[in-house]
Amino acid sequence: MKIFNPANNTLIQEIETDTKESVAQKVESLKVGQKAWQAVPLAERLGIILKYGELVQDKIEDLAHILTLETGKPIQQSINEIRGANNRLVHLEKHAIKWLSPEVMTEGPTREVVEYEPLGVIANISAWNFPYNVGYNVFLYALVAGNAVCYKPSEFSTLTGLKFQELLWKAGVPSDVFAAFIGTGEVGQYLLESDLDGYFFTGSYETGKYIATQVAHKLVPVQLELGGKDPLYVMDDVPDVKQAAINAAEGAFYNNGQSCCAVERIYVQDGIYDEFISAFVEEVKGYTMGDPLSKDTFIGPVTRSQQVDLILGQIKDALFHGAEIRTGGFRTEGEGNYIVPTVLTSVNHDMRVMKEESFGPIIGIQRVKSDQEAFELMKDTDYGLTAAVFSQDQDRARAILDRLSVGTAYWNCCDRVSPEVPWTGRKNSGLGATLSYQGIRAFVQPKAYHLRG
Ligand code: NAD
């Protein structure tokens, strides 16, 4: 498999991929390794994972460089991601022992106890946009709980996936407990066909739905963390319109808009609309686009070349239906998958840009008259990942957020994830939860003991 740099389309490395045979061999070896890993005391397993966290922080500059080379993520954002993902380790250190230890539910002639056993060997089929964050949500938690992990990095973040393997092994995770499976969806398909004890997927709705259907007959846990079309509504009572615009723009354009919880559509109330648009456009025009290895760059290339066509298609469709381009709207000449950050106004829900996931540096901003109109538009989606409202008035914001079918609701913030609360999508955004105590328990199965005598 050839790995290209999306900033200039040059070949970074050619790498051998897994085959049907190598997948089968690795899975067999993980089955043996998992039994021994389960027998390692929980505190010891946790200690090994914490050691892994230290190794990563020691190598942060090198790891960020690799992530930037293969995904085009601006280097400062790569550093931020790797540093930030460490909060998953802090979370595990704080809570894993509590939530994974046996619980005595009743004392008496019959003692009733719950013990938490690992699922076994699980597949973690993952995405490239935040490989540390979304990978850690699954494989670190699964390992601490005593599972073995088949980690399938995205073909767009393979080198990072191999680094996870190298550093986990170095920290003390046995090589028959964690293995990277290298290749495209074809290698993912081999994992679907393998006899595994759980499937944990992060990626697009189409692939997620396909995976859930393919493995349904196995009756093993399946969790899906999928896409979104996350709305933000800015009410006319925000105390500082300019600041609201700056925050909204960051929510839309951080990591080039390639975040599952990026703001994907914005509704702004009449009274502040003009002021908001001019502040928003000024902010976006000020973003530095360029070489992702430069510390000053905020907008790098789009990671997958196919996405460029999708975004240009959304722009064309929006213009056809009457949208206006306030800035951007085209890809740059020359090498690399660069799209100039694009702001569209006079948009509506007949346009693809307001309905289908963009996953790139583009945003549509629609004017609304009332909270009710905003609510109707916000809920007009098949996705249900996050929704945000900016307002001074929590009650007014909650009146909208409480009625939306989303896994995460933000008041005066957006595009953020915390390990202390569950990360979960509804409708086409997913199934199940990672993070929080629920995410710790996602990788175990309870066994009830009734003990008499
Ligand atoms: P994708 O669905 O194209 O690929 C995801 C993974 O699935 C890759 O590793 C790929 O190789 C594998 N795959 C593809 N076909 C397969 C098959 N037939 N069988 C098994 N595996 C297969 O998604 P992507 O482009 O990597 O990621 C972008 C999407 O992920 C966006 O929609 C984004 O919103 C979503 N995402 C969601 C979250 C979340 O937490 N909800 C986080 C990050 C990304």
Side-chain angles (χ1 to χ4, degrees), residues 119 122-126 138 198-202 221-223 434 442-443:
L119 299 173
I122 62 125
N124 175 196
I125 301 176
S126 204
V138 175
Y199 288 85
F200 294 79
F201 173 76
T202 308
V222 176
Q223 286 203 178
T434 51
F443 300 96

Side-chain angles (χ1 to χ4, degrees), residues 190-386:
Y190 298 145
L191 289 173
L192 305 187
E193 290 161 13
S194 304
D195 176 26
L196 301 179
D197 303 302
Y199 288 85
F200 294 79
F201 173 76
T202 308
S204 62
Y205 163 70
E206 288 74 23
T207 313
K209 186 177 162 195
Y210 172 78
I211 288 177
T213 316
Q214 288 290 301
V215 302
H217 68 280
K218 301 183 190 206
L219 302 185
V220 296
V222 176
Q223 286 203 178
L224 308 172
E225 304 212 331
L226 311 177
K229 189 69 194 168
D230 300 1
L232 161 65
Y233 172 36
V234 187
M235 291 179 173
D236 60 4
D237 68 349
V238 288
D240 183 342
V241 175
K242 185 169 182 209
Q243 192 56 51
I246 291 170
N247 296 348
E250 189 180 22
F253 289 100
Y254 191 83
N255 197 32
N256 226 351
Q258 301 170 123
S259 160
C260 52
C261 51
V263 172
E264 284 253 342
R265 49 197 173 110
I266 301 177
Y267 306 99
V268 181
Q269 204 170 0
D270 235 0
I272 57 161
Y273 181 83
D274 292 333
E275 190 184 348
F276 181 90
I277 295 290
S278 70
F280 191 96
V281 170
E282 189 190 328
E283 175 70 7
V284 174
K285 280 185 171 163
Y287 289 154
T288 308
M289 184 170 89
D291 178 2
L293 284 171
S294 157
K295 284 246 182 196
D296 297 330
T297 295
F298 184 71
I299 300 283
V302 171
T303 304
R304 292 170 308 170
S305 51
Q306 313 93 290
Q307 199 68 13
V308 172
D309 295 332
L310 185 140
I311 293 163
L312 295 177
Q314 287 188 349
I315 294 171
K316 202 170 156 197
D317 169 77
L319 292 178
F320 177 77
H321 285 95
E324 271 176 76
I325 294 182
R326 296 300 184 117
T327 181
F330 58 95
R331 77 175 292 173
T332 58
E333 303 275 327
E335 293 300 310
N337 308 332
Y338 286 94
I339 295 185
V340 179
T342 300
V343 180
L344 297 167
T345 55
S346 303
V347 292
N348 61 53
H349 279 218
D350 293 334
M351 301 175 187
R352 285 168 51 202
V353 71
M354 298 303 277
K355 296 286 286 180
E356 69 179 29
E357 189 178 40
S358 304
F359 221 59
I362 174 172
I363 192 81
I365 309 180
Q366 185 166 351
R367 185 197 291 264
V368 293
K369 289 206 166 53
S370 64
D371 292 1
Q372 185 58 27
E373 185 187 359
F375 167 69
E376 295 295 341
L377 291 166
M378 291 170 93
K379 75 173 175 134
D380 179 29
T381 174
D382 293 330
Y383 288 108
L385 195 58
T386 84

Side-chain angles (χ1 to χ4, degrees), residues 42-43 45-53 85-101 133 135-146 168 418-420 434-444:
L42 170 58
R45 292 198 302 260
L46 178 60
I48 290 172
I49 295 305
L50 296 178
K51 170 81 190 152
Y52 161 82
N86 195 56
N87 64 10
R88 274 66 170 174
L89 291 123
V90 173
H91 181 247
L92 282 165
E93 186 175 20
K94 222 161 105 186
H95 299 293
I97 303 236
K98 173 179 178 197
W99 292 109
L100 296 175
S101 295
N133 291 339
Y136 282 13
N137 292 358
V138 175
F139 69 71
L140 291 186
Y141 286 74
L143 288 170
V144 169
L168 282 166
S418 160
E420 296 295 340
T434 51
L435 301 178
S436 77
Y437 82 89
Q438 308 192 40
I440 297 175
R441 288 265 174 88
F443 300 96
V444 289

Side-chain angles (χ1 to χ4, degrees), residues 231-235 267 269 368 370-379 387-391 393-406 408-411:
L232 161 65
Y233 172 36
V234 187
M235 291 179 173
Y267 306 99
Q269 204 170 0
V368 293
S370 64
D371 292 1
Q372 185 58 27
E373 185 187 359
F375 167 69
E376 295 295 341
L377 291 166
M378 291 170 93
K379 75 173 175 134
V389 176
F390 289 179
S391 166
D393 182 344
Q394 184 176 182
D395 292 341
R396 223 181 123 191
R398 287 291 301 262
I400 290 181
L401 293 171
D402 293 1
R403 289 185 293 153
L404 290 171
S405 186
V406 291
T408 295
Y410 300 118
W411 174 48

